[in-house]
Amino acid sequence: MTNIHDRITVQPRSVIPFPDDLDDEDPVERRLVLLLCLDTSGSMRGRSIQEVNDKLGTWFAELRRNPYYARALEVALVTFGEGGVCAWRGPERVAYRDAGPGTFVPLSEFRPPQLRADGNTPMGEALRRSIDLIDQRKKFLRRHAEQVYRPLLWLVTDGAPTDPWEPLIQRIADAERNGHLQLHAVGVGAGASGERRRVLEALSPARNYELNVNIEGLLARMTDSIDQVRGRDQTTNWRRRP
Amino acid sequence: MSVDEGHRSCRAPVGQVHWRVRGAKAQGDSHRRLGMPCQDAFHFAEVSATEGSAPTYVLAVADGAGSRRRSGEGADHAVRVGTQAVERLLAAGPCPAGAADWGYLAGEAFRDAHRTLLGLFRAYGDPADFATTLTLAILHRHYVAWAAVGDCFLVVRAKRGLDASFALVDLEPKSRYGAAADETAFVTSDRCLETLRNYAMDDPRVTGVLLSTDGLESPFVRNSGRDPQVTESIVRSVMEYFDEQPQQPDAALGDFLYSPQFRQYTQDDKTIVVAVSDDDR
């Protein structure tokens, strides 16, 4: 084998032009749906909730710089803890009866709320509500002839649930199997209890994480998941030769 | 900025197709933030089927699984073992005579590489820790053959300039909402060889080949309905750059991958190997 690594002719470097019209070739044909289900229970009080508020804003601002995501990504937020289970339409808290497909906001318009921490951890109810909202949004988009990538649901908690959650295991498994959503279940904070780990593993056997890292690490993983669901959730038919 | 750069070109005898090959990889922003190394790898080499025969070029890219501890090492091994497998098969038998034979050779080389890699990884520990995709492409005269497991993709260009056309010839099958939508196959997977895709094309109009890991799928492949298509403008830009500036080194490709525009599209590791022919087709 002739290894041709040795024969490099170095010339002054110029730049490969990046086409200006790339976005024109990549119209938004499918929506990306992201729902963050965040723990705002009392144990998040103080520095933890402040860090979530600070870093979420930065993260969304960074995502908005991606022209594709700014157009295609839709975001909603559900919190559990302070105020019970709450849906958020951007910075506005949405009354339970009003939360529906319209809770999702295009990334270009989404501004995260300032969250506060208090109360217990009704994770089961929050997840049930999150899955309902995703289902409603998907149906809404389908009715409007929009195609949708597999919706992403990110659950982030620093504790174990204080309400029933076991009935959700089967529902989530069915939804994952049928491609209706992809759940990432994340435990954060040093207080990792065996119970929390057991819950997250049961809810999302393939994608549960204990992240004792800073919130940037978590947000980077979330960005990865968006990249991946967009890159991989595609169609089966393509031209192949010969 | 660190760019892992590739390589070189050499002059083939008159009358034979000469390919100039460039490659580079770039660490994704998300990997950088997480303190993870770039887990992609690429390699390419010129080999000869037999003494005096037309040169054969082997291009390889691999994408280590982000969740696996030693997948970057797995990818490094995969591209080199894959390239060596092609060389071994070419040395052992007659030069393939047609597209079907080239496609068969590509598949056999992949199987050979798969066996070698599993043995190698087992010697080091659990093969699953080294999980990686692998795509091999072989260029010989007007033949382009490939063998792939996982989600790298392959694009070819026919003709040049205003007459150029581009085709996405290999992309991992993906279901729209199916259970396998977020599962890719790896060289280390139990069902690796069941998902092997090996094909070849015989087309004297081919003047360019681009092989890449899935980190570049977002800007390079458009999902137009059920028929994913190449984003022509960007592939054209890369290939025409090396058509017009044949002496430019791989570093130009590395700069391209690290450009802010790319970083807007993907935060994943990115790897690309580009080959353009020198003849005037």
Side-chain angles (χ1 to χ4, degrees):
Chain A
M1 179 164 59
T2 305
N3 193 320
I4 45 183
H5 293 211
D6 304 331
R7 280 172 263 176
I8 304 174
T9 307
V10 177
Q11 296 284 319
R13 226 187 285 177
S14 60
V15 177
I16 301 174
F18 198 95
D20 293 333
D21 57 351
L22 194 59
D23 286 337
D24 298 337
E25 289 193 43
D26 193 14
V28 174
E29 290 160 339
R30 296 174 72 176
R31 299 282 163 188
L32 287 153
V33 173
L34 169 68
L35 191 146
L36 304 184
C37 185
L38 300 181
D39 185 344
T40 54
S41 62
S43 55
M44 293 284 289
R45 264 193 223 106
R47 190 173 162 190
S48 296
I49 198 70
Q50 191 53 50
E51 194 175 18
V52 169
N53 283 328
D54 293 346
K55 298 293 173 28
L56 264 187
T58 309
W59 183 64
F60 280 115
E62 191 174 319
L63 275 187
R64 274 196 297 276
R65 288 168 48 203
N66 178 318
Y68 185 87
Y69 291 152
R71 293 178 311 181
L73 186 63
E74 301 184 342
V75 184
L77 198 60
V78 169
T79 57
F80 52 100
E82 191 271 330
V85 175
C86 302
W88 298 81
R89 191 178 190 284
E92 301 163 19
R93 198 185 293 247
V94 182
Y96 200 83
R97 66 177 180 282
D98 295 333
T103 308
F104 285 86
V105 178
L107 175 66
S108 57
E109 299 166 21
F110 184 86
R111 299 295 179 274
Q114 283 296 303
L115 300 171
R116 290 176 299 174
D118 199 8
N120 54 17
T121 313
M123 181 197 299
E125 174 61 15
L127 270 178
R128 190 186 66 73
R129 193 77 191 121
S130 299
I131 297 168
D132 287 347
L133 283 174
I134 285 173
D135 283 348
Q136 291 169 19
R137 186 62 189 172
K138 261 184 78 170
K139 285 175 184 160
F140 173 86
L141 290 170
R142 292 272 177 80
R143 275 201 307 276
H144 290 78
E146 298 269 12
Q147 294 184 45
V148 191
Y149 287 100
R150 180 188 292 218
L152 283 167
L153 170 55
W154 273 81
L155 167 69
V156 181
T157 182
D158 77 338
T162 52
D163 68 339
W165 57 275
E166 290 89 345
L168 287 162
I169 295 175
Q170 192 57 48
R171 185 177 176 192
I172 291 169
D174 290 344
E176 288 253 5
R177 188 168 49 252
N178 296 324
H180 293 157
L181 63 80
Q182 184 182 96
L183 172 65
H184 294 252
V186 185
V188 294
S193 65
E195 174 64 5
R196 179 177 82 194
R197 184 172 210 107
R198 187 178 73 81
V199 171
L200 298 184
E201 284 176 355
L203 290 171
S204 183
R207 283 177 285 271
N208 64 85
Y209 325 100
E210 285 290 338
L211 289 181
N212 292 317
V213 296
N214 57 25
I215 193 168
E216 283 96 341
L218 167 62
L219 296 176
R221 282 176 190 266
M222 285 167 60
T223 308
D224 270 357
S225 75
I226 299 170
D227 275 344
Q228 284 167 8
V229 80
R230 183 186 170 206
R232 295 183 175 173
D233 192 9
Q234 294 184 359
T235 54
T236 51
N237 299 326
W238 70 94
R239 280 203 282 271
R240 176 187 285 162
R241 298 168 68 186
Chain B
M1 179 174 79
S2 68
V3 180
D4 188 328
E5 290 154 7
H7 323 141
R8 56 264 130 206
S9 66
C10 64
R11 177 64 55 184
V14 173
Q16 296 180 348
V17 180
H18 168 239
W19 292 87
R20 278 177 283 108
V21 190
R22 298 287 184 272
K25 66 178 186 178
Q27 183 189 30
D29 284 359
S30 62
H31 283 219
R32 179 176 50 74
R33 278 198 298 262
L34 291 168
M36 294 161 63
C38 179
Q39 292 161 316
D40 282 0
F42 71 93
H43 189 62
F44 51 86
E46 180 191 341
V47 299
S48 290
T50 55
E51 188 79 22
S53 69
T56 301
Y57 300 80
V58 187
L59 325 180
V61 298
D63 181 353
S67 57
R68 297 298 180 170
R69 207 162 50 88
R70 303 181 70 179
S71 63
E73 293 172 61
D76 281 337
H77 285 301
V79 292
R80 283 171 173 77
V81 168
T83 308
Q84 288 160 6
V86 175
E87 182 200 10
R88 244 192 330 271
L89 282 179
L90 283 171
C95 186
D101 288 350
W102 278 104
Y104 178 79
L105 182 136
E108 286 303 295
F110 195 102
R111 289 185 178 87
D112 185 359
H114 174 248
R115 280 191 297 273
T116 305
L117 287 166
L118 279 186
L120 187 65
F121 296 154
R122 282 189 186 120
Y124 286 128
D126 180 358
D129 286 340
F130 296 86
T132 179
T133 68
L134 174 63
T135 296
L136 301 171
I138 306 169
L139 315 182
H140 179 85
R141 294 180 182 268
H142 39 79
Y143 297 110
V144 179
W146 64 92
V149 164
D151 52 10
C152 301
F153 63 91
L154 180 67
V155 174
V156 298
R157 176 184 67 176
K159 302 186 179 177
R160 294 177 202 275
L162 294 176
D163 295 332
S165 61
F166 300 84
L168 180 67
V169 294
D170 187 65
L171 178 72
E172 185 182 41
K174 294 152 189 167
S175 59
R176 177 173 259 166
Y177 293 111
D182 60 338
E183 296 164 5
T184 195
F186 297 112
V187 169
T188 48
S189 305
D190 291 340
R191 300 178 63 195
C192 163
L193 296 180
E194 292 172 39
T195 64
L196 174 62
R197 314 183 296 275
N198 60 300
Y199 303 94
M201 54 192 291
D202 173 5
D203 191 337
R205 299 170 306 164
V206 172
T207 60
V209 172
L210 183 148
L211 188 56
S212 174
T213 54
D214 73 324
L216 288 173
E217 196 171 308
S218 177
F220 277 78
V221 179
R222 292 180 290 132
N223 303 323
S224 48
R226 291 181 163 273
D227 191 12
Q229 302 283 322
V230 182
T231 309
E232 288 191 11
S233 59
I234 197 163
V235 181
R236 181 187 289 276
S237 181
V238 173
M239 289 189 178
E240 291 186 352
Y241 176 84
F242 288 112
D243 283 338
E244 292 160 10
Q245 306 193 56
Q247 298 305 317
Q248 285 295 341
D250 307 76
L253 206 51
D255 291 346
F256 187 53
L257 296 185
Y258 273 106
S259 66
Q261 291 96 328
F262 263 127
R263 294 163 77 164
Q264 285 187 345
Y265 276 89
T266 175
Q267 310 223 337
D268 197 2
D269 291 340
K270 299 170 275 291
T271 295
I272 191 170
V273 176
V274 184
V276 292
S277 68
D278 256 357
D279 65 338
D280 203 20
R281 285 176 287 180

